[in-house]
Amino acid sequence: MGRLSDEALLSGLAVGDSELAVVFVRRFQHRVFGVAMAVTRDQQLAEDVAQQTFERAWRHAQIYDSRRGSVSTWLTTIAHNLAIDTVRARRTVPMAPEDLDTFIGVVTETPERWALANEASAQLRAAVARLPREQARALMMTGVYGMTAQQVADSERIPLGTAKTRIRAAMAKLRTTLAAPE
């Protein structure tokens, strides 16, 4: 069975042949785990991603199209995409805007710190207010709400490249404005 083609093993997986499924997993387990480990950099997460990859391959084996690439490429693409999704899902959740005052209060407990924090936040608010509306929205969505450029693009119904340009331009303008002595 070890000499069967990757496609034959995948077909066996699709029809539920347990012997072929074991050979399929053994053939690709190191490669799938390696891809997952490279993306997640966490052994436990990589093991979970590898498991999910083989489950997804089993569920979707019947839609594999050899014209679009080899079984190995198809499987490692599944692993890579699942690993990226897993890493993104584990990102820290941004702080809710209504909780910022409490947090700032703890950090800025002395009058001197209050003054510096108020001045810095006032400068930042003024700089953001001077940005074009589209750039300010994109910047706030990414910086405050932790959205990705793709999420900004989807939310604003604009192309991904436009969302990235708006974010980059806003950051450059803020950097210039806040770095300039007043």
Side-chain angles (χ1 to χ4, degrees):
M1 273 204 232
R3 295 177 187 215
L4 289 173
S5 70
D6 295 344
E7 289 81 9
L9 291 177
L10 183 61
S11 296
L13 183 70
V15 297
D17 184 319
S18 60
E19 290 179 30
L20 291 178
V22 168
V23 174
F24 181 83
V25 170
R26 286 190 178 144
R27 183 173 291 178
F28 294 105
Q29 68 186 359
H30 295 293
R31 185 173 303 150
V32 167
F33 178 77
V35 167
M37 189 67 183
V39 174
T40 64
R41 301 185 193 282
D42 179 299
Q43 183 173 351
Q44 184 62 44
L45 275 180
E47 289 173 3
D48 292 344
V49 167
Q51 170 100 21
Q52 292 171 14
T53 300
F54 287 111
E55 288 173 9
R56 187 162 292 174
W58 169 67
R59 283 195 314 269
H60 299 289
Q62 67 279 358
I63 64 169
Y64 165 73
D65 183 0
S66 61
R67 294 173 296 183
R68 296 183 68 200
S70 68
V71 171
S72 177
T73 301
W74 178 71
L75 196 59
T76 54
T77 300
I78 292 171
H80 184 259
N81 291 340
L82 283 171
I84 289 172
D85 291 346
T86 301
V87 169
R88 285 181 179 158
R90 290 183 56 114
R91 272 192 190 156
T92 58
V93 177
M95 183 177 291
E98 56 270 9
D99 295 337
L100 286 175
D101 289 336
T102 304
F103 180 72
I104 289 172
V106 172
V107 174
T108 59
E109 57 214 24
T110 66
E112 294 84 11
R113 287 188 180 171
W114 271 106
L116 290 173
N118 285 337
E119 181 182 343
S121 65
Q123 288 174 342
L124 180 59
R125 280 193 306 272
V128 170
R130 287 191 295 267
L131 292 173
R133 183 176 181 279
E134 299 83 18
Q135 290 178 7
R137 283 183 56 81
L139 180 71
M140 295 304 288
M141 292 170 126
T142 57
V144 175
Y145 296 104
M147 296 171 76
T148 64
Q150 183 64 58
Q151 291 169 325
V152 171
D154 294 343
S155 175
E156 298 289 295
R157 294 186 177 104
I158 58 175
L160 176 60
T162 302
K164 288 181 178 182
T165 299
R166 288 179 182 177
I167 295 164
R168 224 179 356 260
M171 290 299 294
K173 287 177 183 176
L174 280 183
R175 215 174 282 119
T176 302
T177 302
L178 296 176
E182 295 195 21

